[in-house]
Amino acid sequence: MNAVEKTLTIRSSPHIRSPIGVEAIMRNVVYALLPAAVFSVYVFGLAALVLLTTAVLTCVATEHLLCRATGRASTVNDWSVAITGLIYGMTLPPGLPLWMVILGGMVAVALGKFLFGGLGGNLFNPALVGRAFLQAAFPSAMTSWVPVLSADRFQILPRSTLAYPFAEPVYDTMTGATPLAAFKFERQTTETVDLFLGLTGGSTGETASLLLLAGGFYLIARKMANWRIPAGIFAAVAALSGITHGLEPETYAAPPFMLFSGGLMLGALFMATDMVASPLTGAGCFIYGLLIGAVAMTIRLWGAMPEGVMYAILFGNAVSPLIDRAIQPITYGTGKRGREP
């Protein structure tokens, strides 16, 4: 081919290319989540396995059908919707009725992702959109918990799992509360080692802090997650819980309890770090993390609910564009920060 026959392809920015594509990043996120997901099946049994499978299949099927209905090529092969389904399932109570899991999964993909244009266009974390919908629509079911390590967890499913649509679910046995709720309403403490190892009640995939930390460090080491976001969240939670516990130790829990309980690890490492919904700059990511940690602690300490990570991340997602507007990245080749025209 001579010089005259060559074509010049002009594309819009950015022009920097990486050998690691979206599919590879998404696949590694799944790898990072799998240890905590498998552990949830060990502690909650068939209930967790069926719930996680249903959540993933629902999200994948919803995206595939929406793509087909709107004449687009199916995007289920990029793994992003599989991650949405897995994280969404891990935020739900293990005994949640499957029809609610399906309904929330459809909302997560349709309203949280597809409505904004699909991958790269969502303003909010889609998995949290689905969970927030279920929390508002079915608050009782979303705060009903099954015991950990029950003897028959691999033999039978909880009756609530197979409840008929819109019927009141019946629970065989229930734990009294999550560690956060037990402390907030009854001042009952939980051993830190149990919180760290995941031997407590709670949402399906949020309890194993050790495995979630290992998965998060794996993504950070592979440069597939920005460390500044979880660092900002953990710093805010540790600082606020340290101050309040120091002032009134009988009223407020110590930092280790706040760090390893509830959905903080899952949210900080796998949901707040959503590349689409988080800020662009390093400083912006740290501020974003501090904000999420502060909001989560405000709800935990003084709100009506024992947990606040979900709302804190959604709030952070909403503020993320404003942080980018305030902290402009350095324009390539100029050494100066960009400004609005």
Side-chain angles (χ1 to χ4, degrees):
M1 180 181 291
N2 57 44
V4 177
E5 293 175 325
K6 290 182 179 178
T7 57
L8 176 63
T9 303
I10 300 175
R11 297 179 185 274
S12 59
S13 61
H15 303 294
I16 298 176
R17 300 185 63 180
S18 168
I20 302 176
V22 172
E23 182 181 336
I25 295 174
M26 297 298 169
R27 191 170 60 250
N28 276 275
V29 176
V30 173
Y31 296 159
L33 282 167
L34 275 181
V38 171
F39 183 77
S40 74
V41 175
Y42 168 70
V43 295
F44 295 116
L46 292 177
L49 178 62
V50 172
L51 182 145
L52 292 176
T53 304
T54 302
V56 173
L57 292 179
T58 298
C59 290
V60 171
T62 302
E63 177 146 314
H64 180 73
L65 292 175
L66 286 172
C67 287
R68 288 296 183 89
T70 54
R72 305 182 190 181
S74 180
T75 53
V76 298
N77 292 329
D78 64 17
W79 289 73
S80 64
V81 73
I83 292 174
T84 296
L86 184 56
I87 293 177
Y88 161 68
M90 293 173 76
T91 67
L92 303 178
L96 191 70
L98 292 182
W99 70 269
M100 294 184 189
V101 178
I102 295 171
L103 183 61
M106 295 169 65
V107 170
V109 175
L111 298 185
K113 182 178 180 183
F114 207 81
L115 188 66
F116 291 95
L119 180 64
N122 54 285
L123 178 60
F124 300 98
N125 184 290
L128 287 181
V129 172
R131 192 191 191 285
F133 167 75
L134 293 181
Q135 185 74 50
F138 312 106
S140 178
M142 289 293 289
T143 51
S144 297
W145 315 100
V146 300
V148 296
L149 300 173
S150 63
D152 58 353
R153 63 190 185 281
F154 293 116
Q155 281 78 45
I156 58 174
L157 281 170
R159 279 191 290 175
S160 59
T161 298
L162 302 176
Y164 290 114
F166 303 106
E168 186 70 23
V170 177
Y171 292 87
D172 306 292
T173 55
M174 294 169 54
T175 58
T178 63
L180 279 172
F183 184 83
K184 188 177 186 69
F185 300 121
E186 302 171 13
R187 290 292 179 263
Q188 293 181 1
T189 57
T190 303
E191 293 292 333
T192 302
V193 66
D194 289 341
L195 293 172
F196 190 64
L197 296 178
L199 303 177
T200 64
S203 294
T204 301
E206 72 177 20
T207 59
S209 296
L210 172 62
L211 298 176
L212 292 169
L213 274 171
F217 284 136
Y218 168 77
L219 291 179
I220 291 171
R222 297 288 311 270
K223 300 187 184 304
M224 294 178 179
N226 193 320
W227 63 269
R228 297 171 184 83
I229 296 173
I233 295 173
F234 296 153
V237 170
L240 288 174
S241 58
I243 293 171
T244 53
H245 179 71
L247 294 174
E248 296 185 47
E250 295 183 354
T251 304
Y252 301 109
F257 178 87
M258 286 297 180
L259 287 169
F260 298 135
S261 59
L264 188 71
M265 289 294 164
L266 180 62
L269 294 164
F270 293 97
M271 290 187 274
T273 52
D274 184 344
M275 296 179 181
V276 179
S278 55
L280 297 173
T281 62
C285 284
F286 191 67
I287 294 171
Y288 169 79
L290 288 174
L291 181 64
I292 290 174
V295 173
M297 284 302 298
T298 300
I299 296 173
R300 281 184 174 187
L301 294 175
W302 300 294
M305 299 179 296
E307 178 59 289
V309 172
M310 175 184 70
Y311 293 110
I313 295 176
L314 290 173
F315 179 76
N317 291 160
V319 175
S320 177
L322 300 179
I323 296 176
D324 280 335
R325 187 182 293 270
I327 304 176
Q328 293 284 316
I330 295 174
T331 305
Y332 181 74
T334 68
K336 299 178 180 178
R337 297 189 182 278
R339 291 288 185 270
E340 290 293 315

